[in-house]
Each structure stands twice: as structure tokens, then as C-alpha cells.
Amino acid sequence: MRVLVVEDDPGIADLLVRGLRRAGYTAGSVSSGHQALAAAPEPDVVLLDLGLPDLDGVDVCRRLRRRSDVAIIVVTARGEEGDRVAALDEGADDYLVKPFGLAELLARIRAVLRRVHPVDASGPEVLRHGPLEIDLRTRKVTVAQREVALTPKEFDILESLAVDPGRVVTRQEILERAWDAHWYGPTKVLDVHIAALRRKLDVPGLVETVYGRGFRLGTADADPAGPVRR
Ligand code: CA
């Protein structure tokens, strides 16, 4: 699956491309509307920033849609709601408002691809890490075949860690994914959910705290021969 990032801010483009590659996509970026329209081979997903230096992003969206069924996710800054609505009218499949987290972007891409390609639904459907299995479609979680009943928040937290096991996910990223894109409240609530999640998963070291940075899925228990406490 090829994802084309259309973004004129090189820092953001670079972050997104690296994140998408880590998640298993073939990703590249261009920085203008003209380059987006000339991109070859045709990507499967276009992540389209509407604030481009050359062409009107909504116009780029319309022209892409006119010639292909490529999945288009538009990205806007806050306050550009009119553009976002116009882009959806012109055939965009979904939108994201900056700033957004990588886990949220990946979830949106999977959802859009499921709609566009219902049969060969791409992107991972099941995330696996050691004894842990997460079915993203049914939201079923198992640890060594034992089903674990999670609340929606606990599931979202676990998913944000599992899309890229080993990577430290910041508290802010998790809050944005599981609560709201603009969470500015106390982050203590996250600790409560993390504690509940650990208790239910019941695999010591699986959800690791990285002090001062965030959380990640631990690698110690990724060894299938390792002890799994029931
Ligand atoms: Ca821009």
C-alpha cells in the first residue's frame, strides 16, 4: 500500500513518512499540489494538506477524485473548517485536524481503506506482540488465547502502543488518541486507565513506563517462550 503525503512543511512531512514506513506502508512525500497531481505511480492513499503553496488544496482534491478512486484524507489546520467541508464535498474520504497523532492517522487510513477496498482491506487487521493479539476490526484482545475484556478507552490506549511496539508513545499522544485531539486537562486519568489495562492484560512488563517520556510495549515478554502469568 502506497501512501503519498502532500505537505509543504518538511518537518511534518518527514515525521509522517517515517511513521507510515514504520507501520509497514510504502510512503513518500511531495510539497506542492502540482507534484501531487503528477505523482506516479498512483498512490493508494493521499494524505492531503489543504494549505499548499501553489494550488488550492480543495482543487487538488477535486482533480484527484475526478480521475481515480484513490483514498483521500485531507489535513487542515484549526480554523479551516470551510475548506474541510468543501474537500469532503469534492470527494475526500476523511479529514484530520492538526495536530494529530500517528496512531490516529493510522486508524483513519485503515478505516478509509476498508471502505475503498472492502475485499482486500489492507493494513494490518490484527496486531500481534508476543502473547498479545489485537483484532482491530472486532476490537477483540487476547493474551495467549485468553480473551481480555477492555473498556473502549483501554482498547484505544493499547492500540496506540501496539501500532508500533517498542516505540515510546508520549502521554499527550495517548490522550489525543483515546480522549480528544485537544486534551489539556490533567494526565492523571491516564495512569488510572493504564493501571487497569495492566491488571487485565496480566503480563508483567508488557506495558512499560518510560519515566518522563511515556509508555511503550515492552520487549521482554515478546519472547513466546517467556512466562505468561494467568
Ligand atoms: Ca501547509
Side-chain angles (χ1 to χ4, degrees), residues 7-9 49-53 98:
E7 169 63 67
D8 59 316
D9 180 324
D49 176 28
L50 289 184
L52 294 171
K98 288 179 184 175

Side-chain angles (χ1 to χ4, degrees), residues 6 8 11 18 21 26 33-34 90 95 109-111 123 142 148 156-157 160 166 195 211 224:
V6 185
D8 59 316
R18 278 189 287 139
R21 286 181 182 159
T26 302
H34 281 117
E90 293 297 345
Y95 69 88
I109 287 176
R110 284 194 300 271
T142 57
V148 182
D156 289 344
I157 292 168
S160 60
Y211 286 100

Side-chain angles (χ1 to χ4, degrees), residues 93-107:
D93 296 283
D94 201 355
Y95 69 88
L96 282 164
V97 179
K98 288 179 184 175
F100 54 85
L102 183 64
E104 170 159 30
L105 169 63
L106 296 174

Side-chain angles (χ1 to χ4, degrees), residues 27-213:
S29 70
V30 296
S31 58
S32 75
H34 281 117
Q35 288 173 316
L37 292 168
E42 184 93 8
D44 300 291
V45 181
V46 173
L47 192 65
L48 178 64
D49 176 28
L50 289 184
L52 294 171
D54 56 346
L55 297 177
D56 177 5
V58 175
D59 191 39
V60 175
C61 180
R62 179 189 309 121
R63 286 157 73 174
L64 285 171
R65 173 56 71 238
R66 203 185 290 151
R67 69 176 194 215
S68 83
D69 67 349
V70 59
I72 303 170
I73 299 175
V74 297
V75 176
T76 55
R78 257 178 288 180
E80 296 175 343
E81 193 181 4
D83 290 347
R84 196 185 315 153
V85 172
L88 291 170
D89 282 344
E90 293 297 345
D93 296 283
D94 201 355
Y95 69 88
L96 282 164
V97 179
K98 288 179 184 175
F100 54 85
L102 183 64
E104 170 159 30
L105 169 63
L106 296 174
R108 298 293 185 91
I109 287 176
R110 284 194 300 271
V112 161
L113 286 174
R114 275 198 294 273
R115 285 205 297 274
V116 177
H117 305 287
V119 181
D120 64 324
S122 48
E125 284 289 304
V126 178
L127 301 176
R128 290 190 183 84
H129 181 72
L132 177 68
E133 241 184 61
I134 305 168
D135 189 318
L136 298 173
R137 199 174 51 79
T138 61
R139 294 174 72 90
K140 194 173 116 178
V141 174
T142 57
V143 172
Q145 273 90 56
R146 167 179 60 93
E147 188 164 351
V148 182
L150 298 181
T151 66
K153 288 258 186 288
E154 290 160 2
F155 183 93
D156 289 344
I157 292 168
L158 183 61
E159 184 191 1
S160 60
L161 298 175
V163 288
D164 191 3
R167 184 176 80 88
V168 178
V169 184
T170 66
R171 305 173 72 87
Q172 190 60 33
E173 276 179 84
I174 298 174
L175 289 167
E176 287 173 5
R177 168 82 185 92
W179 274 263
D180 179 79
H182 306 292
W183 176 272
Y184 295 119
T187 67
K188 193 80 197 148
V189 63
L190 179 57
D191 297 287
V192 175
H193 287 276
I194 291 270
L197 180 60
R198 282 187 174 131
R199 209 159 45 236
K200 290 181 180 180
L201 294 174
D202 198 20
V203 182
L206 183 60
V207 178
E208 259 186 293
T209 302
V210 182
Y211 286 100
R213 293 178 61 200

